[in-house]
Amino acid sequence: MKLKTLIVLMIMLLMSYVPAMAQGDPDVINPEDTTVAEVITPAPATNLSASDTPNDHGHSIDLSWDLSVDDGAGMNNVIGYMVYRATSMDGPFESRSGLLLKTTDYIDAGAINEYENGYMPDHTDYYYKIRALTADTAVYSDSEIFGPIQSYGQWFNWERLAVLLMVAGFLFLTVFFINKAKKGADLFVRRLAGIEAVDEAIGRATEMGKPILYVLGLGTAADIATIASYTILGRVAKKVAEYQTGLIVPCYDPIVMTVAQETVKTAYLDAGRPDAYNEDMVYFVTNQQFAYVAGVNGVMLRERPATNLYMGKFYAESLILAETGTVAGSIQISGTDEISQIPFFVVACDYALIGEELYAASAYLGKEPLLLGSLKAQDYAKAGVIFLAIIGFLSLMFGYDGITDFFHVR
Amino acid sequence: MARSKSISIIILLVVIALFILSWVIKATTFESDPDRISLWFSVRDAFFITMAAFLTLAIFSFLYKDNPYYKFAEHLFVGISAAYWMCVGFWSTLVGNLVPNISETLSTFFKVPYKGFHFTYFVPLILGIILLMRLSSKHGWISRWALAWIVGTTAGLNLIRYLRTDFISQVSNTFVPLLVDWKGVGPFFSDFSLSSTGQFAMTLSNWVIFIGVFCGLIYFFFSKEHKGIFGTASRVGIWVLMITFGASFGYTVMGRVSLLVGRLTYLFKDWLGLIS
Amino acid sequence: MSSIGLIISFLFIGLGLIWLLILAIKGREVDRRLIFVFIGIAVSVPLLFKISFSEKATPIVRDVFYKIENLPEGSKVLLSYDYGPSMAPEVEPMSNAFVRHALTKNHKVYFMCLWATGQSLVATAIDSIVKKEFPDKVNGIDYVNIGFKAGGTGVLNVIITDFRKMYLTNVDGVNLDSVPIFNGIKSLRDMDLLVSIGGGFPGVKEWVLFAGAPGNIPTAGGCAAVSAPLLYPYYPRQLLGLLGGIKGAAEYESELKDVYPDRFADMPTPGIAMMGPQTLAHLVVMAFIVIGNIAFFVTRKKKV
Amino acid sequence: MKRQFPLALVFIFGFAMIIQYFIPHQHSEWVNAFFMDWMMIIGIFALALGIWSLTRVSWDKVKHKRENWQYAIVTLAGLFLMIFFGFDYFRHFSTAVGSDNYMYVHFYQYIVIPIQATMFSLLAFFIASAAYRAFRARSLLATLLLIAALVIMLRFNPLLGPLQPVMEKFSVWLLNVPNLAAKRAIVIGVGLGMVATALKVILGIERAYLGKD
């Protein structure tokens, strides 16, 4: 009974599709009329096969079959299919899908957890059949039953092999070059104007007796740009402590604030000036984009910092900050990986680190071999990308798309 | 000094007078509005609309120079917004998300549907409390455990996420055919057209993309001196970057002007009633 | 009225710019505040005098318009308000136009938002447009608002397989199973069109990457001008069309007025109205760039 | 314990997160799902620290009568009034969405929203002043920047007449093609930088943020 209502409902749902499909007599859909109409049992779907869904967490089975010969041809009375499943050969079978139109495959996925509705346990024998339905709820035909089949989770997602190879390759490169650097190999690094300017800017601030403003941006603790910014802040704070210049770090995200406090404190300790550290150098303003900007603008105009450093994630506020900084007469150095904001920093700041340069900056400032090693690894990876791109072009030219497929990660 | 002080007091008095004037006028115009049921409502609504308008003007005054009105609006904004996010966070995250997963008593107290006990929600609770240990000068170092957890998890999770969503998809999208729909030299010239979906335009675009990406990447090389051919490529790379930045900048002007239009519409329409 | 305004503003701005040009040739730098004054005039005068220019929809906008136009009546259209009040002036005209268009075509409209700040904006849209202009449309049958859930892309990951894992009720607290419009709707895959309005994160890009592309669901978007260049690459394959900034909104509005001249005769067209200030402001910015360059070359010559 | 344990935590959790991506098993999927939830909850505790910091800095200003101390009172008053209204659930408590206290809602609507939108709209002025100052043909790079911006700005200028559709097409091409190339180059670089930074953090090479003592 329940099944019947379900099918009636499905058919009613189908009504909305009828104009688009332009098949089947709309009158037949009315359940009351179907008792009169004479319908012949259609041919069943054939070649049903099932297998565990690959590269997943289990609780799911892939099904495929061939269309009934009466679907869109022959007697042309099949309106769609439904998937049925049972835990034994003799049933009871329950429906697992809605009405599937002209479909030859289906993924039967259940809930993962026992407490959820529709839980589908792994390592259980399942039997499947496909029912070809006609407009008459009582007239249908079932395919042969396929089974038993079990679902289970895999331990490795092969579709993501490309990512694993990249991570592993990059990890190897990084460790390799860091070791090389440790052994004293001289690693050349080209100069980056924006980073060299940081040193000068700290010196300038000291001469002028004015503080340095460091803005970590709007990134949350979950952004790697913010992590990169902590490390730059660490180096800047250390120099600031050595030169005994002031440092102001207004924060947007409270977690970022705590990390930044820890970073600055460590830097002052490293510089041998723990006494000069003051908890209120790094403070929280507010967790709201433009309120934060209003607050930082105020600091710029009232404290008149000699240098403003913007490092991290920035959004629309980038230009407000940079223009106010210009009015205040500060030297401004920025770095962000937020592509839509780089143009504004490039236009309005004295120096702008573009994208990857932000991530390279901490290595530059530290000039530690360990960190320079990772820059070398980055370069090799870029060379690898260029190499791959060329191989990709060539292979596409010869009509082979295996390489592009390999890098197509779902 | 005394003179500038008296001038600023006069300005303040004028501002207050204008504020009251606007409030009164606004309240009387509301009075005739059938939607507002009582005098009290019109007075109250008129106050809020006038305040919003004056705060808008206070922020605009910043364009001239820093001044007490901007300072007032700025400080008020900082305080109120910080508290607002605190309250939103408390109600939607702690009450809406944490409480229903850990305690039935608290769920009833806050009138949220209890979802059942989930021990996993104790992890953030404990980490949050550990983080609060910062306030203790003696045990503050314990809070680093929470920071370490956050930074470690973030680093691992985002490393993968960016590799997947941005990096690899961009790399694989770079694999574009450099000869679109190539059928030979003859057809290429005989069907030559400049239409944007035509073969020539598509091929040209793909070449520009290829060279742009290639030179852009060269520009980002750190461990090699940008000299010779390498230097030329890197220079082409920065050209492409600059053209893009200029284009983005030019494109954004439109959006920013729209925002200003929005604010001025508020002033002209909702406050002054100059336009309908 | 509008022609007087046009003359006044052109006179004002034109003469002012010529004066500045003369100053520039003499080698004087323009005070930034003067630039601000010009921008202020260029934006407010057209607004006060209602100066507007005619708009014609570009293909990228037409694609969205005719997608909604050509869907069969009663199709399911999901509108996600992924923006806050600060972005509203730019993208609200778009969402209003989408709502009007979809309801006129008798589509079923599902409102939601990925931004907490979108909630009140959806409510405003329902109160001021749906209830006032479409009084015969019934909440729960013709449209529904399921509101906001925190989690951004996480929400999309869930609702692409099952709405009910994320949303138990609509905003009024009614169980989704008792909302007629949700009958037979399990996930995003049951929608005929997804429209995300908003330019930040999460926004159109996330809808494409986490819902439209994996679920193979037609996705259209409207976004702030700043994010449009970043979204162009997804058009037309993953994104069937895009309204970029107020210009996109104006084009959509004019298309709507062209196709339904009677229905929308009195429709407010904030998008079109905003193009007047846009055009003048762009002229002013360009004029200042030119003046700046003249000043630059003059001073350089003097130094040499 | 003070230094080694956090580093170990970073290492273990960092690698666990990387590995879980490759395991489609159910035990790894909830880790991903819960992380964001957890971060938000921790974020609220951290926000308490933030409010504490804001209060202390403001109070310090008032106490020592530093420059502009009067305005610090405004901040504190706004903060505590809003917190008071926001937590006023005994009378007005509605749902988990938040307080629906009249003052709370109206403060948001008539103070936060207008100021926020106005701050944002300042950009219209700043974008003009930045363009005036920076778009000068000083060098080849600056000239390229300038020309690209002008071309894009010209695209919907009705005074341009018949040239307008050409400009429109060209600017769309500019946004579609070179823009795409530059974006890809930046994204690929940024991706590598991120991976490098994340690896340095996980391997404990970058540890400035973890304190010293």
Side-chain angles (χ1 to χ4, degrees), chain A residues 177-372:
Chain A
F177 281 107
I178 285 174
N179 271 332
K180 209 170 159 192
K182 263 189 192 161
K183 283 182 192 141
D186 187 24
L187 299 179
F188 170 81
V189 181
R190 81 175 162 96
R191 61 183 286 270
L192 266 181
I195 293 168
E196 282 173 10
V198 172
D199 277 338
E200 290 165 26
I202 298 173
R204 178 173 176 262
T206 317
E207 280 168 28
M208 294 169 74
K210 282 180 176 175
I212 284 177
L213 177 74
Y214 192 100
V215 182
L216 284 149
L218 255 60
T220 61
D223 285 307
I224 300 192
T226 313
I227 297 183
S229 187
Y230 301 143
T231 59
I232 302 170
L233 172 64
R235 317 258 187 270
V236 170
K238 197 173 163 195
K239 291 224 167 76
V240 166
E242 281 161 6
Y243 286 114
Q244 302 189 41
T245 314
L247 179 68
I248 309 171
V249 189
C251 293
Y252 168 81
D253 183 290
I255 301 182
V256 172
M257 174 197 78
T258 37
V259 181
Q261 280 174 344
E262 216 49 69
T263 310
V264 173
K265 198 172 165 186
T266 312
Y268 272 74
L269 276 172
D270 277 347
R273 306 197 48 85
D275 48 307
Y277 173 73
N278 170 5
E279 187 95 316
D280 291 342
M281 285 172 166
V282 183
Y283 62 92
F284 176 75
V285 181
T286 174
N287 211 351
Q288 215 266 343
Q289 187 181 12
F290 289 102
Y292 174 74
V293 177
V296 175
N297 273 358
V299 172
M300 281 185 207
L301 290 181
R302 282 153 225 156
E303 310 282 339
R304 301 256 162 195
T307 306
N308 302 336
L309 292 164
Y310 312 109
M311 302 280 168
K313 264 233 167 327
F314 288 86
Y315 300 97
E317 69 285 354
S318 58
L319 190 64
I320 304 187
L321 293 174
E323 279 296 292
T324 313
T326 311
V327 174
S330 318
I331 292 269
Q332 309 199 81
I333 305 169
S334 67
T336 185
D337 65 347
E338 187 60 38
I339 300 173
S340 60
Q341 300 306 325
I342 298 174
F344 302 108
F345 276 145
V346 168
V347 167
C349 289
D350 299 281
Y351 300 94
L353 301 175
I354 301 166
E356 192 183 359
E357 292 173 346
L358 167 71
Y359 294 100
S362 77
Y364 268 94
L365 283 169
K367 291 265 159 59
E368 289 170 37
L370 280 179
L371 300 168
L372 293 179

Side-chain angles (χ1 to χ4, degrees), chain B residues 242-271:
Chain B
M242 282 300 162
I243 290 174
T244 313
F245 294 158
S248 301
F249 190 100
Y251 196 85
T252 318
V253 175
M254 175 165 80
R256 303 314 185 216
V257 172
S258 302
L259 297 165
L260 181 58
V261 171
R263 270 342 273 164
L264 291 179
T265 310
Y266 177 83
L267 290 181
F268 294 153
K269 192 172 133 191
D270 297 9
W271 182 45

Side-chain angles (χ1 to χ4, degrees), chain A residues 136-159:
Chain A
D136 183 344
T137 52
V139 180
Y140 51 79
S141 61
D142 287 342
S143 69
E144 283 175 23
I145 293 168
F146 186 95
I149 180 78
Q150 295 191 338
S151 69
Y152 51 90
Q154 279 76 29
W155 283 102
F156 185 78
N157 188 341
W158 289 99
E159 286 174 358

